[in-house]
Amino acid sequence: MYKSTIRLLLLNAILVGSTLFASGQSWDYPVKPGSEEWAKLNDVSERIKACQIPEDIVTKLPTEELFTLCTKHPFFRSYAFANSPIEGFRNSMGSFNGYSELLKRPNALEVMADFYKKENFSRIDTLKTDIAKGEYSLRLHGVELMMSNDLLIGKLSAEKKKLFLKTIYAKYEEKLAYKEELGGFGSVTTAFLAAKVIPTIAELKVISVLPASKKMESFQTRMIPFDQDIVDPILKSLSASLALLN
């Protein structure tokens, strides 16, 4: 039921386009969903090609702008169609040169984490339709999937990993005030992020705060299954981890 609802919201959001997470940009997609030009593109490969940033521009864009462009990419939310959300995200964004360039930036995760920390979830209260609220949650969860990248996490210093973990927990607590919009899959993305970060912190790796099992290993790598018997123990481990680090 949840996936069917998300997929319906995704289809509607793609049709109406997006203005969420907008900021000042020096470059924008020349062809966008909903436009006549987009409709004339015959297949997905043509649409992927139309979204590429010119090579003489992409390397010069600030990390902040690359991040914004990724969140506004027409296929950024397509992960909702996949059985494995993280694999769906990698497949949909892996061919975008803006995302590839973002992964090269040493400050990429710091930029994302700073945005995430500052994002006020009460923005949901200003959105008037279910489509707008669904689009917001899809994009927010997409940012969480993007931050779960092992390469980016590995670039953080030991201290910044701890701060990032604290941010993950703080934002999870904020989500609890918006269970209808950010609950459900929102707890899954929090658990997935935590399961990625916790093992990289030396003090936590030694005491093994995450329960070990084949299902847990599958969740940490493929984000499936995301049953409550996997998600809930990770969220408890997240809380316990912060207590140990304080």
Side-chain angles (χ1 to χ4, degrees):
M1 177 65 180
Y2 172 78
K3 278 203 168 187
S4 297
T5 302
I6 286 296
R7 287 168 179 169
L8 179 60
L9 289 168
L10 174 60
L11 286 172
N12 282 297
I14 288 175
L15 289 174
V16 301
S18 172
T19 57
L20 296 179
F21 298 118
S23 66
Q25 294 175 216
S26 61
W27 186 88
D28 201 2
Y29 298 100
V31 183
K32 300 180 181 181
S35 67
E36 291 184 15
E37 293 83 357
W38 185 266
K40 291 177 182 177
L41 298 174
N42 294 320
D43 54 34
V44 173
S45 62
E46 286 190 6
R47 292 176 175 179
I48 290 174
K49 184 177 180 180
C51 293
Q52 300 302 317
I53 304 172
E55 290 301 326
D56 61 334
I57 294 177
V58 66
T59 57
K60 299 176 183 177
L61 291 175
T63 304
E64 292 80 2
E65 186 167 349
L66 281 171
F67 166 60
T68 298
L69 286 169
C70 282
T71 67
K72 295 176 69 176
H73 190 279
F75 296 126
F76 184 71
R77 297 155 290 171
S78 297
Y79 66 84
F81 287 121
N83 289 326
S84 164
I86 190 60
E87 289 178 357
F89 181 84
R90 291 167 184 159
N91 290 336
S92 62
M93 294 299 289
S95 57
F96 176 45
N97 65 340
Y99 180 61
S100 300
E101 176 64 26
L102 181 64
L103 294 181
K104 298 175 185 176
R105 302 294 176 90
N107 66 331
L109 187 50
E110 292 180 52
V111 167
M112 296 181 209
D114 184 61
F115 159 82
Y116 187 60
K117 182 178 181 179
K118 293 177 180 177
E119 177 62 16
N120 191 339
F121 296 163
S122 65
R123 180 198 294 250
I124 291 173
D125 294 328
T126 68
L127 303 176
K128 305 302 182 183
T129 67
D130 288 341
I131 291 175
K133 292 178 180 180
E135 182 189 354
Y136 179 86
S137 65
L138 284 169
R139 287 184 178 275
L140 181 69
H141 300 329
V143 170
E144 292 171 320
L145 294 180
M146 190 156 50
M147 292 192 298
S148 71
N149 185 282
D150 293 325
L151 176 65
L152 297 182
I153 294 171
K155 292 179 181 180
L156 292 180
S157 67
E159 194 57 36
K160 286 181 178 178
K161 286 176 183 176
K162 296 174 187 178
L163 293 174
F164 185 38
L165 196 65
K166 291 179 180 179
T167 295
I168 293 169
Y169 185 71
K171 301 309 286 188
Y172 173 66
E173 289 192 314
E174 288 183 36
K175 286 181 183 179
L176 296 178
Y178 297 93
K179 287 186 177 181
E180 184 174 349
E181 299 86 0
L182 301 179
F185 191 62
S187 62
V188 177
T189 50
T190 293
F192 187 65
L193 256 179
K196 286 288 188 177
V197 178
I198 288 173
T200 70
I201 298 175
E203 297 94 322
L204 301 179
K205 187 188 298 184
V206 172
I207 57 175
S208 300
V209 295
L210 289 179
S213 69
K214 288 185 177 179
K215 286 181 69 175
M216 178 64 68
E217 183 179 345
S218 176
F219 180 77
Q220 286 179 291
T221 55
R222 302 189 61 213
M223 208 176 176
I224 51 175
F226 47 78
D227 306 329
Q228 289 304 117
D229 62 336
I230 288 292
V231 173
D232 287 347
I234 297 176
L235 295 177
K236 290 180 181 178
S237 294
L238 173 58
S239 178
S241 297
L242 293 179
L244 290 168
L245 292 175
N246 288 334

